[in-house]
Amino acid sequence: MQQYDDIPQLLLWKPYSKGQLAMSLSDFLLKNSKTDNDTTLSPRRLYYINPVNSFPLEEFQKLVPLNVPSNKHIYDNIMINQVLNMNELSKTIDKIIETTKDTTDSNENESNPKAVHTIPSEALIVISGIDIMFQNSNMSDTTHAHNLLNSILLQLRLTANTNHGSFKTVVLSRDQGVPRSGSTTSQKRAKHDGNTVYDYISKYYADYTL
Amino acid sequence: MSFGVPLSQLIVERPAPLSTRLPELDRALGTGGLEGGSIYEVYGPPGVGKTRLGADLVREFLARGSGTGTTGRALWCDTGVPAPLGEMRDVAASPAVFHVRLERFTELLVFFMKLVAADAAEHYGLVVIDGFSQLVVDHVNNLASRQRDSAPQQQHLQQQRHSLHEWKCRDLTLLFSTMTKYAVQHNCTVVLLDDCMNTAYQTDLPANLEETYEIVADGSNFFVSGGSGSGSGSTNLGGSGTNAARGGSARHVQALRSALVANAGVGSRDSTWEVFLRGRVGLLWDWAPAKGEAAAAGARGARPNQAGASDATPNQASGKSRAPDRVRVAIVYTDLGADTAASGTGRRAGLPRVVQLPLVSAPPRPPPPSEPSALSETPTQTTPVLSAATAPSQSSEVVGDSEDEDEPL
């Protein structure tokens, strides 16, 4: 993945590995992180949303050792959310947006003399396994699941637009994409199964796919 | 639903991985054991030691709790045939171990839904479900019979199978979602002890089955692949790793898969529910030529018997040759959700690790029948115990003739 500034408002990232993911997340959090000598920068906050226990903790701990005292705030700024369906995802995204808005407002209104140099908190939302969430909702109500998917992605894009680059979303894809082997059976099956959620996001909402 | 937990808090609250008491397996899992907040599947033929592994996990869980002074609660869930209680008396006698008997897939689903909604103070840190796959197989078979009744002749067989697979995936996803919710909420480790099934059910069977597969001529009824690389390419093949490692290109490869995958609802979209599994461990038998016989067997072009748990006794060995040594192997799959990922080590995620485990020692004599164990005294076990004759497991049908095929407990 790229540097935070280069990340578009909504990025679909595939394929990924735990090592790559951990490295990108640590890059995002370590660059520009708040140190004892520098109080002008707000720490970045990472919201990791996933249905299963999939945060690459081992790999991340190798890159950002927990026993280093200065790294503690980095771990404090990673929020893990377990979300199993689109309803829960919608609520979680709403709360994140609300929290981000509050933080930005408080930073802008801060009355310390260094407030001029203060930048709003940068937030990165990483959504892993959105296909599972969609599938779980799709089982009970297909139309509602589609509506929620659209509204969530629209909301993310809208918030990113109004926050001027300080609110970005990365959707991690588990999609296998086009089979490399060129197996006709696999291609037929993929055609039969229709577009995946990731195809849909890539086509209509993501700035681009990595 | 709660709104996020800081990672620092999660790390503090996260319990240490639960050791399986098999150091080789702990290492192969990569984390030193089974992690909390996760679901693991253990599958294998009867008698390979799945229930023993489950009992050892409960023991380890209790020992860890007593070491830290915070003994958690463990739940043992029986499904079909109750677990043999020979070596489990200590487990059953513990007040921290609870027992429940569930005989339907839907019962299990409702049970976990109630657990999710139950008081957080009374949660389980370890849940072992013995014979989980049998519930799923029965459930799929029920769906199949209903499907046959509702649309007897019109529907093509392939359509029926596709539909069954869809139903299986949907229901397993629903169940595993609920299980995952509970497991993550309470840092609970859920262990599923499953049967295995041969590759007669594998997904990409060619139409000309006989040309690609053959049946072992030693009396066992396993389908085996004609070459080490001719499997379906799935991550569920059992035994291929060890045999391929020996470089025997012409050797038959035993391919056993979890009964969750290989059943009447076989299909291509198992990844939809497999993503909920943190790891999958296949416990299988493998056969190594007896010492001193390997070279001679190689010279004769003989192939060691690799037909699962159907023992080749010394009497069966022809002439002066000895029976092959039986070894127990574990095939460990992790990162089941990372389909296309290439790990940082250059090793493709999803490829299994194969480790050799010590053989299970001979079980001691079970207690006399007049001495009921604590498990059987629990009020939840009110249903009559099914006999092996009325509820045979899938894999025991496949494995066949061994007399001591009960779990060695």
Side-chain angles (χ1 to χ4, degrees):
Chain A
M1 203 165 69
Q2 316 134 320
Q3 299 298 320
Y4 181 79
D5 293 337
D6 301 327
I7 297 175
Q9 292 174 351
L10 204 156
L11 170 69
L12 182 68
W13 186 18
K14 68 174 180 180
Y16 70 96
S17 72
K18 283 192 167 183
Q20 281 177 323
L21 178 60
M23 189 172 287
S24 299
L25 298 182
S26 67
D27 280 350
F28 163 69
L29 289 159
L30 285 172
K31 297 277 169 59
N32 228 3
S33 69
K34 187 178 180 179
T35 62
D36 292 338
N37 299 328
D38 184 5
T39 56
T40 60
L41 299 173
S42 298
R44 287 174 168 176
R45 180 155 275 208
L46 171 70
Y47 297 93
Y48 190 87
I49 303 173
N50 70 124
V52 292
N53 200 0
S54 67
F55 186 83
L57 187 55
E58 276 183 56
E59 291 81 359
F60 189 81
Q61 279 184 307
K62 284 176 192 164
L63 296 166
V64 187
L66 184 57
N67 52 10
V68 177
S70 60
N71 286 344
K72 190 181 176 304
H73 75 277
I74 293 176
Y75 282 83
D76 290 338
N77 280 318
I78 302 175
M79 304 295 287
I80 307 290
N81 292 269
Q82 193 209 6
V83 166
L84 282 165
N85 56 45
M86 299 304 286
N87 271 324
E88 292 182 0
L89 180 63
S90 177
K91 286 176 189 169
T92 304
I93 296 289
D94 282 347
K95 285 184 181 175
I96 290 173
I97 290 171
E98 204 173 310
T99 309
T100 312
K101 198 184 288 179
D102 291 347
T103 312
T104 308
D105 290 347
S106 66
N107 281 341
E108 283 172 356
N109 297 332
E110 212 170 303
S111 59
N112 70 50
K114 292 181 180 177
V116 183
H117 304 291
T118 303
I119 61 171
S121 290
E122 291 179 333
L124 179 66
I125 299 178
V126 178
I127 305 176
S128 170
I130 197 171
D131 59 325
I132 300 168
M133 303 170 202
F134 182 77
Q135 182 190 332
N136 279 346
S137 295
N138 201 26
M139 280 191 285
S140 53
D141 190 341
T142 305
T143 312
H144 188 54
H146 274 279
N147 287 341
L148 280 174
L149 179 68
N150 286 328
S151 69
I152 288 166
L153 293 170
L154 273 175
Q155 199 174 9
L156 287 170
R157 287 202 66 90
L158 187 67
T159 312
N161 276 328
T162 53
N163 278 273
H164 308 295
S166 62
F167 185 92
K168 295 178 177 180
T169 305
V170 176
V171 177
L172 298 180
S173 170
R174 298 192 311 116
D175 203 358
Q176 288 188 327
V178 180
R180 289 176 190 169
S181 61
S183 156
T184 52
T185 312
S186 306
Q187 285 169 352
K188 280 179 187 172
R189 186 177 297 139
K191 196 175 177 183
H192 175 77
D193 290 343
N195 289 332
T196 64
V197 176
Y198 298 113
D199 289 335
Y200 184 75
I201 294 172
S202 172
K203 197 171 179 181
Y204 295 108
Y205 289 99
D207 291 301
Y208 58 85
T209 302
L210 188 63
Chain B
M1 186 195 68
S2 62
F3 171 61
V5 182
L7 186 60
S8 50
Q9 186 184 335
L10 273 184
I11 292 172
V12 170
E13 290 175 356
R14 190 178 62 149
L18 186 64
S19 170
T20 60
R21 297 194 169 186
L22 294 166
E24 304 87 352
L25 184 54
D26 287 345
R27 278 194 294 274
L29 284 164
T31 51
L34 307 185
E35 288 191 287
S38 306
I39 305 173
Y40 290 85
E41 185 197 8
V42 179
Y43 72 92
V48 80
K50 302 185 295 292
T51 309
R52 174 185 288 267
L53 177 64
D56 280 346
L57 284 170
V58 176
R59 287 191 190 97
E60 184 65 25
F61 178 76
L62 296 176
R64 188 176 70 179
S66 62
T68 58
T70 54
T71 305
R73 291 152 42 109
L75 177 69
W76 185 278
C77 179
D78 271 328
T79 54
V81 179
L85 299 177
E87 280 190 8
M88 285 183 65
R89 275 183 297 176
D90 58 328
V91 171
S94 169
V97 179
F98 294 80
H99 175 250
V100 68
R101 182 175 171 80
L102 301 168
E103 294 179 309
R104 294 274 186 277
F105 182 86
T106 43
E107 278 181 32
L108 186 64
L109 178 60
V110 172
F111 181 75
F112 266 94
M113 283 176 169
K114 286 185 176 175
L115 279 185
V116 168
D119 184 7
E122 296 181 353
H123 70 270
Y124 301 104
L126 173 68
V127 176
V128 180
I129 306 177
D130 193 13
F132 172 75
S133 63
Q134 194 57 50
L135 293 184
V136 177
V137 168
D138 290 345
H139 181 62
V140 171
N141 289 342
N142 283 339
L143 291 174
S145 62
R146 274 190 225 166
Q147 201 174 42
R148 275 195 301 270
D149 294 343
S150 59
Q153 299 297 330
Q154 297 87 342
Q155 212 171 12
H156 191 266
L157 181 65
Q158 195 63 33
Q159 286 176 327
Q160 281 185 6
R161 183 169 288 184
H162 178 75
S163 170
L164 262 187
H165 179 62
E166 293 292 319
W167 280 99
K168 183 189 84 170
C169 290
R170 196 201 70 159
D171 291 351
L172 276 176
T173 302
L174 184 61
L175 177 62
F176 284 148
S177 293
T178 315
M179 273 189 192
T180 301
K181 189 164 193 146
Y182 181 76
V184 172
Q185 271 178 3
H186 303 294
N187 269 323
C188 169
T189 305
V190 180
V191 182
L192 314 173
L193 306 179
D194 291 340
D195 295 325
C196 65
M197 181 54 75
N198 69 357
T199 48
Y201 275 118
Q202 69 178 325
T203 53
D204 296 327
L205 278 180
N208 51 348
L209 183 69
E210 292 79 10
E211 292 177 13
T212 312
Y213 293 86
E214 58 183 286
I215 297 175
V216 180
D218 61 358
S220 64
N221 54 354
F222 285 107
F223 282 114
V224 292
S225 167
S228 59
S230 63
S232 67
S234 164
T235 56
N236 298 319
L237 286 178
S240 58
T242 51
N243 291 304
R246 290 192 200 118
S249 58
R251 282 178 178 166
H252 296 297
V253 176
Q254 181 59 61
L256 292 174
R257 305 174 74 179
S258 162
L260 290 187
V261 176
N263 52 41
V266 72
S268 59
R269 303 186 64 182
D270 284 318
S271 63
T272 53
W273 54 266
E274 278 176 337
V275 68
F276 290 100
L277 301 179
R278 185 60 177 270
R280 168 181 277 159
V281 179
L283 292 180
L284 300 167
W285 294 120
D286 198 2
W287 302 94
K291 288 174 185 174
E293 292 293 322
R300 290 195 303 267
R303 169 178 50 80
N305 180 9
Q306 295 171 3
S310 57
D311 293 1
T313 62
N315 293 335
Q316 292 171 319
S318 62
K320 295 180 181 178
S321 65
R322 295 186 298 162
D325 294 331
R326 190 170 67 164
V327 292
R328 196 165 65 126
V329 294
I331 303 176
V332 182
Y333 302 90
T334 52
D335 292 335
L336 290 166
D339 291 332
T340 59
S343 67
T345 59
R347 178 175 161 272
R348 187 179 177 275
L351 285 182
R353 295 173 192 166
V354 183
V355 290
Q356 187 172 330
L357 300 178
L359 279 177
V360 182
S361 56
R365 284 280 172 203
S370 59
E371 181 188 340
S373 71
L375 275 183
S376 61
E377 287 174 341
T378 50
T380 53
Q381 191 174 352
T382 54
T383 50
V385 176
L386 292 176
S387 69
T390 56
S393 67
Q394 287 278 2
S395 50
S396 63
E397 287 178 5
V398 172
V399 172
D401 54 0
S402 177
E403 287 181 8
D404 54 349
E405 284 178 356
D406 286 335
E407 304 290 327
L409 280 172

